[in-house]
Amino acid sequence: MIALTLAQLARVLNGRLELAPGIASDAVVSGDVDTDSRLIQPGGIFVAKPGEVTDGHLFVGAAVERGAVVAIVERLVDAPVSQVVVPDAIGALADLARHVVAQVRDAGALRIVGITGSNGKTTTKNLLARILEDEGETVAPRASFNNEVGAPLTMLRVTESTRFLVSEFGASAPGEIARLAGLVEPDVGVVLMVGMAHAGGFGGIEATFEAKSELVRAIRPGGLTVLNADDPRVAAMAPIAAERSASVRWFGRGPGADVRADDVQVAGDGTRSVITADGVSAPLHLRVLGEHHVMNALAAIAAATALGVSLVDCIARLETVELAERWRMQPLGSDRVRIINDAYNASPDSMSAALRTLAQITGPTERTVAVLGAMNELGEYADDEHDRIGLLAVRLGIQRIVVVGTAARRMYLEAIAQGSWDAEAVFFATDDEAYEYLLGELRDGDRVLVKSSNAAGLRFLGDRLGESFS
């Protein structure tokens, strides 16, 4: 974080400063900010966030032991550390992020990119950060830091030397992207797709469109929007961009896109294509598994080239990326039994894409095995969408369908109803049962996809299988 005195910090947060003995109000703090006391480093700022399970105020002492020099709290805590008392710790975190980014932007050449979409945010963020980091200091979220806590924490890593801030904006309810993106007013806003992820929380696909379009409405006047030309709902955001006097840069597979992919070929070592950006073409071998990640690469290239990076440099840097993120199309196991662990997140769109990838990368002498868990946050759409995935798995000819967890049972029932019998589809209530079955079932030449939402926990089953067949 940029340097602030304790008095300045209190003024920014409109809070009451309570100094520790022997500490003056002009003492300077510039350490990292965090809400997790275990991650505090010497000189750090600890935000005591109240939570559903526990309360950050209980861990102020632990943060001090790890080197925190100030705590942002909602009530004064008996601990030997200076404290800024505020009504709302999460609100204060947002206020601090807004101030820090504004100060850096006003003083230098900071460019800010915001990314949202029902799927692909984290992968696109990582691809874009990889391109930009060779241009100058780049700050991007760790993992999926894209909510009311994670997004501001990422913003607070910005310093006077930062050239690019890449922010990922997720949402669990309408208005959340507007609040988060409004903290920084991105110069470039990237919208990947509008799908069924979180549709239960939003109340349907049209409400999801409204939520994702909040990023476009938050773009700095005269900025740039990078929109998916292949998604009609995303394409419909162009008039919203015009309201912000923002230009539109299109990416997609069609000939009308400013940045497009042709001759796409999917294999076990990644996806090859020819990328064209503004009339210049070059081949790309994207080693991140899955044809759907080509669209994420296109979005990253569209943003990066708009920021002045050449297509040749974009491609050279993307070809160094072997894994988008842990538990996202992560290759494990061995050539004998290959495990693809993609169980960090799941929606109907990403589940479909992962199953299609499994079918595409499996050779004629190899066997497809899909280990599937529940897709969460679908609300009233959950039954129909789980049915649809069970049907798709059968139609793709997946040779073994292993469904895990009662919340995903409809996939199994639909697979059976569609003609997958004779042990082609099996169901297990627990990960342990599925693991024991797969230890005895998997054989040389199997290609295994493990896919579920984070809450279903199958990512750990994928790790176990990867280790067992390494």
Side-chain angles (χ1 to χ4, degrees):
M1 193 188 75
I2 65 173
L4 295 171
T5 67
L6 290 174
Q8 288 172 327
L9 178 64
R11 282 198 297 271
V12 168
L13 303 184
N14 195 26
R16 185 179 86 251
L17 177 61
E18 297 287 341
L19 293 169
I23 303 298
S25 62
D26 60 356
V28 174
V29 293
S30 60
D32 291 341
V33 182
D34 216 303
T35 60
D36 188 334
S37 62
R38 297 167 297 182
L39 301 179
I40 290 292
Q41 299 293 321
I45 301 170
F46 178 62
V47 181
K49 177 179 73 73
E52 295 179 1
V53 177
T54 187
D55 185 347
H57 293 79
L58 300 175
F59 299 94
V60 171
V64 174
E65 290 177 2
R66 294 191 62 87
V69 295
V70 62
I72 298 171
V73 297
E74 294 182 2
R75 62 180 185 273
L76 203 60
V77 176
D78 184 12
V81 66
S82 297
Q83 300 172 48
V84 179
V85 185
V86 296
D88 177 4
I90 298 304
L93 184 66
D95 290 340
L96 183 57
R98 181 189 294 107
H99 174 80
V100 166
V101 172
Q103 292 292 108
V104 174
R105 184 183 238 163
D106 290 345
L110 177 66
R111 303 296 298 278
I112 301 171
V113 182
I115 300 171
T116 195
S118 297
N119 298 111
K121 295 183 294 296
T122 299
T123 297
T124 303
K125 170 263 297 184
N126 287 338
L127 296 178
L128 179 57
R130 174 62 194 92
I131 295 172
L132 295 178
E133 66 186 13
D134 285 356
E135 299 294 311
E137 181 181 303
T138 299
V139 170
R142 303 182 181 99
S144 292
F145 270 34
N146 60 21
N147 62 10
E148 63 178 0
V149 174
L153 287 179
T154 298
M155 296 167 189
L156 286 167
R157 290 166 46 211
V158 164
T159 68
E160 290 86 352
S161 60
T162 303
R163 185 171 174 191
F164 300 104
L165 168 63
V166 180
S167 288
E168 175 184 341
F169 298 123
S172 56
E176 189 169 353
I177 292 174
R179 288 192 296 274
L180 296 176
L183 298 177
V184 294
E185 286 194 322
D187 301 289
V188 180
V190 181
V191 185
L192 300 170
M193 65 177 297
V194 175
M196 290 297 293
H198 313 297
F202 289 123
I205 195 73
E206 294 307 322
T208 303
F209 164 84
E210 292 296 333
K212 300 306 178 186
S213 68
E214 291 171 10
L215 175 58
V216 180
R217 300 180 194 278
I219 295 296
R220 213 176 197 191
L224 172 71
T225 52
V226 175
L227 301 180
N228 183 348
D230 298 348
D231 186 321
R233 291 186 175 87
V234 176
M237 296 180 190
I240 301 173
E243 295 172 6
R244 300 288 291 177
S245 300
S247 57
V248 175
R249 187 161 172 78
W250 300 100
F251 70 94
R253 300 281 290 272
D258 299 301
V259 181
R260 71 174 190 273
D262 297 302
D263 302 326
V264 178
Q265 301 174 24
V266 183
D269 64 346
T271 305
R272 289 171 172 81
S273 61
V274 175
I275 306 299
T276 300
D278 306 309
V280 178
S281 298
L284 168 66
H285 177 200
L286 186 65
R287 289 192 279 177
V288 180
L289 289 177
E291 181 177 358
H292 52 295
H293 288 308
V294 171
M295 290 295 285
N296 298 329
L298 289 177
I301 292 170
T305 50
L307 291 169
V309 186
S310 72
L311 176 62
V312 171
D313 285 341
C314 287
I315 287 176
R317 295 165 194 175
L318 288 178
E319 288 186 338
T320 68
V321 180
E322 297 183 7
L323 179 66
E325 188 89 30
R326 186 183 181 192
W327 298 318
R328 286 179 168 87
M329 299 302 285
Q330 181 180 6
L332 299 171
S334 63
D335 289 339
R336 186 172 65 88
V337 177
R338 189 173 193 184
I339 312 295
I340 303 171
N341 194 352
D342 192 33
Y344 187 83
N345 255 327
S347 68
D349 295 303
S350 67
M351 185 77 81
S352 298
L355 285 170
R356 293 182 192 281
T357 297
L358 176 64
Q360 288 171 324
I361 67 173
T362 304
T365 63
E366 299 168 341
R367 186 174 66 157
T368 51
V369 180
V371 183
L372 307 177
M375 301 177 289
N376 292 336
E377 300 184 61
L378 293 176
E380 63 184 287
Y381 308 98
D383 287 351
D384 288 345
E385 293 300 327
H386 282 86
D387 287 350
R388 189 170 69 83
I389 295 303
L391 171 61
L392 177 64
V394 172
R395 290 188 173 174
L396 288 172
I398 304 301
Q399 291 156 285
R400 283 291 182 272
I401 302 169
V402 181
V403 178
V404 185
T406 55
R409 186 177 175 84
R410 297 250 336 197
M411 291 184 196
Y412 164 72
L413 296 175
E414 183 66 15
I416 295 295
Q418 294 299 327
S420 181
W421 56 84
D422 192 25
E424 292 171 6
V426 293
F427 171 79
F428 298 98
T430 69
D431 296 3
D432 287 341
E433 292 173 303
Y435 176 71
E436 293 301 324
Y437 165 79
L438 289 162
L439 281 183
E441 173 65 22
L442 296 182
R443 64 195 191 204
D444 288 2
D446 281 353
R447 299 297 177 255
V448 185
L449 169 70
V450 182
K451 180 70 174 172
S452 75
S453 284
N454 200 340
L458 293 200
R459 62 194 186 281
F460 303 119
L461 173 59
D463 287 343
R464 292 171 71 188
L465 292 171
E467 184 176 350
S468 295
F469 290 96
S470 62

